[in-house]
Amino acid sequence: MNLPFDPAAIPADRLPELLRTMPKAELHMHIEGSLEPELIFALAQRNGVALPYASVEELRKAYAFTNLQSFLDIYYAGASVLLKAQDFYDMAWAYLERAAADHVLRTEMFFDPQTHTERGVAMETVIDGLHRACVDAKATLGVDAQLILCFLRHLSEESAFATLEQALPFRDKFIGVGLDSSEVGHPPEKFARVFARCRELGLHLVAHAGEEGPPAYVWSALDVLKVERIDHGVQSAKDPALMKRLAADRIPLTVCPLSNLKLCVFPELSAHNLGALLDAGLVATVNSDDPAYFGGYLNTNFTETFGATGLGARQAWQLARNSFEGSFADAQAKRGWLDKVDAHFASFA
Ligand code: HPA
Ligand code: ZN
């Protein structure tokens, strides 16, 4: 691909500014993972929910994770303060304001309805609050925000089917489905039939695979679930044939560097394989996953990862382009955003 700018003409000290101001899309963030400790405590008080932590500081101290499960236990506890549509709205709005500040023009936000319906919160309450925030984001912030419903893979396929049934009256308010929660021991094929049904319904399909789990889970997400994107997917680098497949089919990987660091998928940020994924020709993207828990929103993921790995302006441009190309927006919207990316980089060179 011809670059619209000369990367050598961008001084290294302008890279953080370039990363912060470049137009970008976010394709992998869990809206419940944007609940900051302050908002958790405010909502707990508003709703009369008791928390097993005495203060914001004590809660924040618990954010020392050793793996995915150690995080999920705290993440589900945090989500217990969400009861009313306004709570879901307030949570999403706080994220969307931060996204706008990070020059995010498009975001596809995951939500976990089973975390709420299992506590007696109605599906309508969840979707109503989140969707109203998305509508307001477009009008007020200029952010194109969409929702992707995730099934919790530690629960049964039967529960996923029941969740889909509950969500179908609101089919126009989400664009796709995903698969998240505890990966190892819950392979994609456990959800083959519910994903087949979602495909018939014309929903976009994504799944977390190859975060902690093996390349075999990425293969089955592609071949059994027929997903269009892989969330995380960093373990794919262990399987050269899989890497070829991902590159040839231009399957986006929604990589989350600070999440991988905090959940000990990589021992340090400088050891992250984002650069290797790009070098192999994969449509890799950078995302924040659960920004309130993992130490930063999208721009922090970019600046810290680039600082630690030595990636430069060329990779920044590729990642910004990949984020829009990998989105589920229509071709015309994508073209407009890609032109903005090119113009932005040209203005720096
Ligand atoms: N992996 C799996 N499930 C999740 C994650 C994640 O990083 N964040 C929220 N649910
Ligand atoms: Zn995730």
Side-chain angles (χ1 to χ4, degrees), residues 28 30 110 180 208 232 256 289-290:
H28 180 168
H30 304 260
F110 294 143
D180 66 1
H208 283 53
H232 293 294
C256 306
D289 207 5
D290 299 282

Side-chain angles (χ1 to χ4, degrees), residues 210-216 219 233-243 265-266 273 277:
E211 177 183 13
E212 290 182 341
W219 282 110
V234 290
Q235 303 299 336
S236 305
K238 292 177 175 161
D239 181 339
L242 177 57
M243 292 288 278
V265 173
F266 293 94
N273 66 6
L277 299 172

Side-chain angles (χ1 to χ4, degrees), residues 1 16 19 26 39 52 68 77 85 107 130 173 185 293 303 323:
M1 161 119 16
L19 290 166
E26 177 146 62
L39 187 53
L68 174 58
T107 179
L130 297 178
K173 297 190 169 63
Y293 292 90
T303 53
S323 73

Side-chain angles (χ1 to χ4, degrees), residues 48-332:
V49 174
L51 287 171
Y53 302 93
S55 65
V56 165
E57 292 71 35
E58 196 182 307
L59 176 57
R60 230 184 257 284
K61 270 209 198 100
Y63 293 3
F65 314 116
T66 51
N67 58 20
L68 174 58
Q69 193 60 50
S70 66
F71 154 70
L72 290 170
D73 294 342
I74 289 182
Y75 163 83
Y76 294 130
S80 69
V81 300
L82 298 161
L83 293 181
K84 314 246 173 64
Q86 190 63 40
D87 305 337
F88 290 90
Y89 181 97
D90 291 346
M91 169 176 67
W93 188 254
Y95 160 71
L96 288 162
E97 284 192 314
R98 288 176 186 259
D102 280 359
H103 298 264
V104 172
L105 304 185
R106 162 91 175 185
T107 179
E108 301 181 5
M109 300 145 59
F110 294 143
F111 69 110
D112 286 344
Q114 286 152 300
T115 300
H116 315 300
T117 53
E118 292 221 323
R119 296 181 290 112
V121 178
M123 180 69 79
E124 181 172 10
T125 301
V126 178
I127 296 184
D128 174 46
L130 297 178
H131 183 257
R132 270 199 296 121
C134 292
V135 170
D136 288 356
K138 184 81 197 169
T140 309
L141 305 171
V143 177
D144 179 3
Q146 304 292 334
L147 295 170
I148 294 178
L149 181 160
C150 279
F151 301 118
L152 298 182
R153 68 203 301 159
H154 68 274
L155 301 178
S156 65
E157 189 183 44
E158 192 186 359
S159 173
F161 264 118
T163 302
L164 178 63
E165 262 333 294
Q166 290 163 13
L168 281 183
F170 317 103
R171 167 69 185 85
D172 59 322
K173 297 190 169 63
F174 59 100
I175 61 170
V177 298
L179 188 63
D180 66 1
S181 190
S182 322
E183 184 182 11
V184 175
H186 301 284
E189 50 271 33
K190 178 176 165 186
F191 297 91
R193 287 169 305 174
V194 74
F195 268 66
R197 177 73 189 119
C198 291
R199 208 159 104 94
E200 284 172 2
L201 289 165
L203 287 157
H204 287 292
L205 308 179
V206 299
H208 283 53
E211 177 183 13
E212 290 182 341
Y217 285 19
V218 179
W219 282 110
S220 57
L222 294 172
D223 291 335
V224 180
L225 301 189
K226 303 194 186 306
V227 300
E228 299 159 83
R229 292 197 301 246
I230 297 288
D231 295 314
H232 293 294
V234 290
Q235 303 299 336
S236 305
K238 292 177 175 161
D239 181 339
L242 177 57
M243 292 288 278
K244 282 209 182 90
R245 164 78 183 279
L246 292 166
D249 288 355
R250 297 195 66 70
I251 304 289
L253 296 193
T254 61
V255 176
C256 306
L258 287 178
S259 165
N260 293 155
L261 177 69
K262 291 289 156 66
L263 301 188
C264 307
V265 173
F266 293 94
E268 50 198 35
L269 214 44
S270 60
H272 200 283
N273 66 6
L274 176 65
L277 299 172
L278 290 171
D279 287 346
L282 269 60
V283 186
T285 63
V286 168
N287 306 272
S288 70
D289 207 5
D290 299 282
Y293 292 90
F294 297 151
Y297 288 76
L298 191 48
N299 276 1
T300 308
N301 271 270
F302 272 106
T303 53
E304 293 202 1
T305 305
F306 274 62
T309 59
L311 296 177
R314 172 184 245 288
Q315 287 92 353
W317 174 73
Q318 191 67 59
L319 287 163
R321 289 189 64 93
N322 289 353
S323 73
F324 292 114
E325 183 190 331
S327 78
F328 293 134
D330 63 41
Q332 191 189 344

